[in-house]
Amino acid sequence: MCELLGMECNVPTDIVFSFSGLALRGGARGPHADGWGLALYEGRSVRTFLEPSAAANSALASYIRNNPIKTLLAIAHVRKRTRGPVNLANTHPFVRELWGRHFTFAHNGTVRGIRQRLGPGRFQPIGSTDSEYAFCALLNRLDRAFPKGYPEPSKLARAVADAGKEIGERGTFNFLLGDGSQLFARCATKLCYIIRKAPFAKATLADDDIVVDFATVTTPRDRVAVVATAPLTRDEAWTIGQPGQMWVFRKGRLAETLPS
């Protein structure tokens, strides 16, 4: 299985601390050494870094940690291969354009039979993973549901939750989906989140002794939502997701919790 990381904020924030924890699980403190990726939004557009190798040993991942890029929304992934070979095309997160904005997707789990059930639509996979097939199936459903363009955010959230439930009936479908203005996080088996806000405190990575005092790098108005497969810190209270539940984060807040 893979591990997911998402961040959604009300002010531009770098993801270095959390990404450092995830990268350790990508081949050093965890077995997820079959590729890694990080997507950072700037408005409706996203810049993506991908490598089909272990994040823990990656010079590119180290460069990103040493040269922070601030963003309002980020999605990251470390892969432990279950379907499809280890190559660039099969490395998460995946990105597609819909309604004039980038949609970014990362998945943890296995969705059986999704290739035969992709359905009609303009979105087709480049690689061979069930994850990318599921992403394309989800986008095709959204494209058909809203032919006039980007819908009201809550309507989109309900459609994503419904599509997640339908696709998830065929397997394990933990995922993160971002569109530049909101982050969707579906829990099928394992997912958690924390919202960091004032008063800020110190936090220590679960897999290392790296400590950050968030009070020294934030302002009282900052709100940062972080979602992960498993808690990334050892001294913070993470909220554990329930299977069949999808969270929607907007501007660093938990905006909606929907059945999925």
Side-chain angles (χ1 to χ4, degrees):
M1 302 291 266
C2 308
E3 290 214 16
L4 306 171
L5 168 63
M7 182 183 76
E8 201 278 335
C9 327
N10 70 335
V11 295
T13 304
D14 73 68
I15 198 173
V16 167
F17 179 66
S18 296
F19 180 68
S20 297
L22 184 75
L24 286 170
R25 296 176 181 178
R29 304 295 173 86
H32 313 90
D34 297 324
W36 68 273
L38 172 64
L40 303 168
Y41 272 90
E42 184 174 323
R44 297 182 180 184
S45 300
V46 69
R47 56 166 60 91
T48 309
F49 304 89
L50 300 171
E51 278 192 316
S53 56
N57 305 320
S58 167
L60 179 58
S62 178
Y63 176 85
I64 292 170
R65 293 195 299 272
N66 293 325
N67 296 272
I69 301 172
K70 291 191 175 184
T71 182
L72 291 174
L73 198 161
I75 292 177
H77 182 276
V78 288
R79 184 183 183 211
K80 186 177 186 297
R81 184 185 73 86
T82 55
R83 299 285 182 91
V86 176
N87 58 33
L88 188 64
N90 289 336
T91 304
H92 307 222
F94 305 106
V95 179
R96 294 289 193 281
E97 178 276 329
L98 176 61
W99 305 315
R101 63 177 64 211
H102 281 140
F103 278 72
T104 304
F105 175 87
H107 170 225
N108 168 24
T110 300
V111 181
R112 298 178 296 275
I114 188 63
R115 299 186 186 193
Q116 294 74 33
R117 298 174 179 271
L118 177 60
R122 67 183 178 95
F123 295 100
Q124 299 294 322
I126 297 170
S128 57
T129 63
D130 59 304
S131 301
E132 191 182 11
Y133 272 83
F135 178 38
C136 290
L138 190 155
L139 288 185
N140 282 331
R141 284 163 172 76
L142 297 180
D143 194 25
R144 291 194 298 270
F146 304 106
K148 294 183 179 181
Y150 190 83
E152 190 273 326
S154 289
K155 290 183 179 179
L156 177 58
R158 288 192 292 272
V160 172
D162 291 343
K165 180 180 180 180
E166 180 183 350
I167 296 170
E169 291 174 350
R170 304 185 184 100
T172 304
F173 200 37
N174 301 289
F175 70 74
L176 298 179
L177 176 70
D179 68 3
S181 60
Q182 52 188 342
L183 175 66
F184 309 102
R186 182 181 190 268
C187 178
T189 56
K190 191 176 182 182
L191 205 63
C192 60
Y193 78 88
I194 189 169
I195 295 179
R196 297 188 177 115
K197 58 183 180 179
F200 290 96
K202 294 181 179 180
T204 309
L205 287 180
D207 300 304
D208 205 338
D209 291 328
I210 299 175
V211 181
V212 167
D213 184 356
F214 289 109
T216 65
V217 294
T218 56
T219 70
R221 64 178 292 268
D222 293 3
R223 297 180 67 92
V224 179
V226 179
V227 187
T229 298
L232 291 168
T233 56
R234 67 181 79 158
D235 45 11
E236 294 182 294
W238 292 72
T239 298
I240 306 301
Q242 299 298 314
Q245 183 180 69
M246 191 187 81
W247 299 313
V248 185
F249 298 94
R250 302 185 189 108
K251 296 184 179 180
R253 298 178 182 271
L254 177 62
E256 299 184 63
T257 300
L258 300 171
S260 180

